[in-house]
Amino acid sequence: MKLNVKTFAAFIFSSFLMVSSFSSASAERLTRAVADWTGGMVTCEVAEQILEQELGYKIDSIVFPSGTGLWEAVADGSDIQFACESWPSYAEADEVMVNQDLMYDGQVVKSDYKGDGSVEVYTSGIIGSSDYFVPKYFVDANPDFRDWRDLNKYKDQFATPETGSKGRLIGCAVAGWNCHDQKRLDLLGIDFEAVELGTEVAALAEAQAAYSRQEPFLLYFWTPHWFQGAYEMVGVKLPEWKACDKFTEANNWEDCGTGSWPATGWDKDYTINYMNPAVFAKPEMANAKAFFQKMKLSNDDQAVMINEIDKNGRDIVEVVQEWKDNNKDSWSKWLP
Amino acid sequence: MAFLSSTKKNTSNSSYYSLLIPFVIFVAFALSIYLAFQSEVKSTFPKFATDAFTFTAWINAGEDYLKDHYKWITRLIASYVKVGYYGFEDFLLDSSWVFVAALMIVPSFMIGGLRLAILFIFGVYFWGAVDMWDPAMESMALMGLSVLLSVIVGVFFGVLCSQSDRFESFLKPLLDTMQVMPAFVYLIPAMFFFGIGAAPAILATMIYSMPPIIRLTNLGIRQVPNETIETATSFGSTKTQTLFKIQIPLALPSIMMGVNQTIMMALALIVLATFIGAQGLGAEIWIAIRKLDVGYAMEGGLCVLLMAIMFDRFGKALSAESKTLPSESTKFHLLPQEWEIYPIAKIIEKPLGTIHFIIETVFKLTIGLVAYITSEIFSLFNSDFAESISNFLNKHFYFFSGVLILYSISLYGSIGPGIGQFPESWALSIREPIESSVQWLTINPTFIAFTKGLRAYVTIYLMRPLDTYLTFMPWWYVMSAFVVIAWASVGIRFAFVSALLLLFIAACNIWTQAMITLSSVMISVFFCFIIGVPIGILASYSKRFQNINEVILDAMQTLPYFCYLIPVLMFFGGGVVSALIATIIYSIPPIIRLTVLGLSQVSVTYSEVSKSFGGTTLQTLNKIKFPLAIPSLVMGFNQTVMMAFAMQIVTPLIGGKGLGKEVFAGLARSDTGRALAAGIGICLLAIIIDRISLAYTKKQREALGL
């Protein structure tokens, strides 16, 4: 009989593999996505800790970049059952997948969803808002700079090789978001060019580099976000948003006048937690569903936790646990 | 020097061509400039044609149909892959770190000796030391399984290819597409069909990393000399027997090379796999990048880099093993043998040699004892078998000592006091220095003045004019230029094919984006060329420089590009210039490598002849070495172009434009058709340029009589 090293190696390796074990799943198990920005992480960690510690669920988590892919995964429901804090004005998937009224504090805040209902949504409590920002050192150096109307005066300081004589706006971060930055600049008569960098990371890196060099820059951004905690930024106070029916592609983005913020409705974002309706319709998920209907994390609470995590470099689980231990009054109201 | 006279004859025969061709090119170019700058708007395809050709809608409808009807099949496949993955991952995560470390270090020591073992020890230490042990294990499971499946499927298709010319010519364009098609394009659809997490990641990785193994298996089998096959046939072996007993074993070195490349390509996808929920080092890097934590991302990137280098060197040692048996002359274990002349090298090597000898003796004795006992036991039943088993054990004493070590560690871990976590006191962190040096460069006035100057220069004098030129030139003019070039270099059939491919791009209404992509690729390749060729020349003259160069090139190719995208952006500002620089970093290695190869392959005789005729070094380089290295250079150019095209899908992350941005826009709106059309656009451009430059290489080779 002839023996062969390879057969032996294969045999030994497979015997190692056989020893390994498989874990089994239990009934009240849910899988959530870990968001890829700190605010979203905090919101979902809060939900997870309450669901696990107060309501007895077991939550697994998967790192999954947010975006349409995540919405599709939640709609599918077999691998991920819920995710947190989507910003509806930036998501496009919500228009396709949501078919219910959005409630906040007992009030309907959005009633025109006409999707196929493959995803169920409830507000998370966090309200996002957007504006154009300049660094504080720029305002300090130019005391007569008050708001967006003064931008043209200083456009030379904001110019880059790519934009020529115009100033540069580091525009809306993600290609999929409908921000219409250039349109807005044109309509407001701001002689700037919006440069899209494609990702939030890129926009932030650009802003951070410019900040550390103390150069002036104009940045489209939103709060709450760790960036505001780490760097001092001042909003240019764009005019209040007003619904404008004419401002659509079909009407060739017709002017709505400069008295209002001519864009899609994204000055205020009622952010949403979203989940798979079939999974949450099961009787054993009733408590979880009731919790999501009531959950209302405040911007201030989230900002404190974001700061602890990003500025002081602490572990997210520990920070959220600490908040949960000290703020029983806030979250006990969310329990079913 | 027959080849020189033959090229000369060629040119003298076609002397009137030599005047005509530059003239035609000049006129065509002048006309194109006129056409581009007299037109007021960007060139677009007629609207009725783009409206009729609703490719994106067809794709989306097809996808919906497949999703509704065939999802269960793909989900079934995914569930099998998933079980395999979790088995593998649980095994790696549940075993103690010492066991996993030994499982990697022991074989590396047996196959590659002390040098490889030290690399492995360092790699394993680094994963633990930067606190990325678990992610590294997850990535390893992911990569291991994708490579395993790629090799099984790839060798199968490679063998099929080698048996049928028709199948080969059918598969070839498919393989090209698999390699150039941006992975982002099929990642999201893969998720609909295969769920999220490891299974779709493994299957997507297979798509990307299988081509080299198919190609090299095919090549290896086809390269088996005819005489060998005829001999086998004349001894009466059937076709199957010849294939399995002669051709495949003889093709093994080539197949091993394919495995190596497959591993490299699988690792390149680790970060992208995060986008469909695969865990591991990629997820760590992505989260760090999201927080602009350059140092942390770089640590993750270095873990991937080390993993790549470890597997690469292991594979190389494995395939080299049979060729170069350790001869008596190589006594050094760590340092290069040439250093024998230095006394200090001997001082270092002496104890190592002794330790090596002791280990070997202990291993031999232990296994000798085991062999003796087993043979005694078996000789009770069958003495022949007992002897063969004892011989076998004694012969492979290294292998079985390794197995013994692994089993004892595993026993110690489960029965003994336990091993526990990677010791915290061994931790190492390089994120602070990386972070602070990036920060220092970001605010360094001289450096930033330099980057700003470069950025302004490139934008104003290169990017903008070329973008305008290409996008404003009428589409039919660009198309005919391509067709004429294709006709002249490849042939009439390819001219038709490229016309069709370009019409597809135009009809999908992505002509402008395609031209912008073409312009960025042209500029990046231009820079790669003017930077890469001089470096290649330097490296071909200095061995020491070449050694350093190799390491840097390896790093550039295997370090996930996400790690350097952010620093590049911080230095050069977001936008097309950063995109350009990232593309150059990623795609410059082939041109440098092939310049070195081309120049050092020129036989010494030619340079000697040139020198003896009084040629200076520069003259030799210019007149002899360069002309002879042209095929190699064109090959390098070709690969650089391919990689530059592949990078176009990543650059939109930091402000790049063109087709890549179109892919992202499609994905963000859940519009697979739009993303796919743009992805196919990138592929088609790449394939056309690939074919043209390959045909050019072939002609050059023939002209040089190589």
Side-chain angles (χ1 to χ4, degrees), chain B residues 28-257:
Chain B
F29 186 66
L31 186 62
S32 74
I33 290 198
Y34 168 74
L35 283 170
F37 287 96
Q38 59 92 36
S39 86
E40 298 281 302
V41 287
K42 286 178 184 167
S43 168
T44 47
F45 208 54
K47 197 163 165 23
F48 68 88
T50 53
D51 284 349
F53 190 74
T54 52
F55 178 75
T56 54
W58 300 337
I59 290 293
N60 288 340
E63 190 193 348
D64 287 342
Y65 176 79
L66 286 177
K67 242 195 274 184
D68 291 344
H69 294 84
Y70 295 102
K71 204 162 141 187
W72 62 273
I73 302 180
T74 53
R75 284 291 161 119
L76 194 71
I77 298 172
S79 65
Y80 281 116
V81 175
K82 220 175 190 172
V83 167
Y85 170 76
Y86 281 128
F88 209 170
E89 190 203 55
D90 287 349
F91 163 67
L92 285 174
L93 285 177
D94 293 346
S95 317
S96 72
W97 69 272
V98 179
F99 178 75
V100 177
L103 192 62
M104 298 179 65
I105 294 165
V106 169
S108 73
F109 184 69
M110 286 183 326
I111 284 159
L114 191 58
R115 274 171 228 170
L116 193 64
I118 286 179
L119 175 69
F120 268 66
I121 291 171
F122 178 71
V124 169
Y125 161 73
F126 191 82
W127 296 339
V130 297
D131 196 20
M132 293 220 186
W133 184 263
D134 287 2
M137 289 304 107
E138 283 162 351
S139 286
M140 204 136 84
L142 194 73
M143 192 197 62
L145 204 59
S146 356
V147 170
L148 189 72
L149 289 173
S150 296
V151 169
I152 293 170
V153 181
V155 168
F156 176 74
F157 277 109
V159 170
L160 279 189
C161 258
S162 71
Q163 300 305 305
S164 151
D165 286 341
R166 190 178 290 175
F167 188 69
E168 190 195 11
S169 56
F170 161 74
L171 211 60
K172 228 172 180 175
L174 216 63
L175 294 182
D176 287 345
T177 317
M178 279 158 79
Q179 260 181 321
V180 189
M181 177 63 93
F184 266 116
V185 173
Y186 50 77
L187 272 184
I188 304 291
M191 196 180 75
F192 301 143
F193 289 108
F194 298 101
I196 67 163
I202 286 169
L203 293 163
T205 309
M206 278 174 68
I207 296 181
Y208 181 68
S209 61
M210 226 165 25
I213 185 110
I214 299 181
R215 277 186 225 269
L216 282 155
T217 306
N218 177 27
L219 190 76
I221 292 177
R222 279 173 188 268
Q223 271 177 348
V224 172
N226 256 335
E227 295 86 35
T228 323
I229 299 168
E230 270 162 30
T231 318
T233 329
S234 68
F235 276 107
S237 40
T238 62
K239 210 175 168 199
T240 337
Q241 278 175 333
T242 321
L243 182 65
F244 283 98
K245 305 263 155 144
I246 310 280
Q247 284 174 304
I248 293 180
L250 281 175
L252 265 184
S254 179
I255 295 177
M256 273 314 295
M257 207 157 103

Side-chain angles (χ1 to χ4, degrees), chain A residues 1 3-5 8-9 12-13 15-17 20-23 34 36-38 41 61-66 68-69 72-73 76 78-80 92 160-164 168 175-178 196-202 204-206 208-209 212-213 215 226 309-310, chain B residues 71 75 82-83 87-88 90-91 94 99 103 191-192 195-196 274-277 279 283 286-287 289-292 385 388-389 392 396 399-400 403 406-407 439 442-443 448 452 455-456 459 464 566 569-570 573-575 577 652-655 661 665 667-670:
Chain A
M1 179 168 166
L3 285 165
N4 185 324
V5 182
F8 243 85
I12 285 159
F13 187 66
S15 76
F16 280 143
L17 282 184
S20 60
S21 57
F22 295 90
S23 57
V34 177
D36 45 10
W37 76 100
T38 315
M41 282 180 187
S61 48
I62 294 180
V63 175
F64 201 102
S66 36
T68 308
E72 300 271 359
D76 181 69
S78 48
D79 299 293
I80 290 182
E92 293 235 330
T160 60
E162 289 87 3
T163 56
R168 179 192 58 165
W177 297 352
N178 272 334
E196 280 183 17
L197 296 185
T199 44
E200 183 192 330
V201 189
L204 285 181
E206 176 79 352
Q208 195 191 53
S212 56
R213 291 194 286 265
E215 289 167 356
W226 65 265
I309 294 159
D310 283 325
Chain B
K71 204 162 141 187
R75 284 291 161 119
K82 220 175 190 172
V83 167
F88 209 170
D90 287 349
F91 163 67
D94 293 346
F99 178 75
L103 192 62
M191 196 180 75
F192 301 143
I196 67 163
T274 311
F275 284 80
I276 42 175
Q279 309 298 296
W286 180 243
I287 287 195
I289 287 288
R290 288 283 314 217
K291 288 201 214 164
L292 301 183
F385 181 56
S388 91
I389 221 174
F392 179 75
H396 299 286
F399 179 78
F400 287 103
V403 172
L406 287 177
Y407 263 125
Q439 186 60 28
T442 309
I443 56 171
I448 292 305
K452 278 203 172 137
R455 174 176 163 194
T459 315
R464 204 170 292 157
I566 295 304
L569 191 145
M570 285 183 156
V577 177
L653 291 173
I654 53 168
K661 198 170 175 189
L667 290 181
R669 294 184 170 79
S670 200

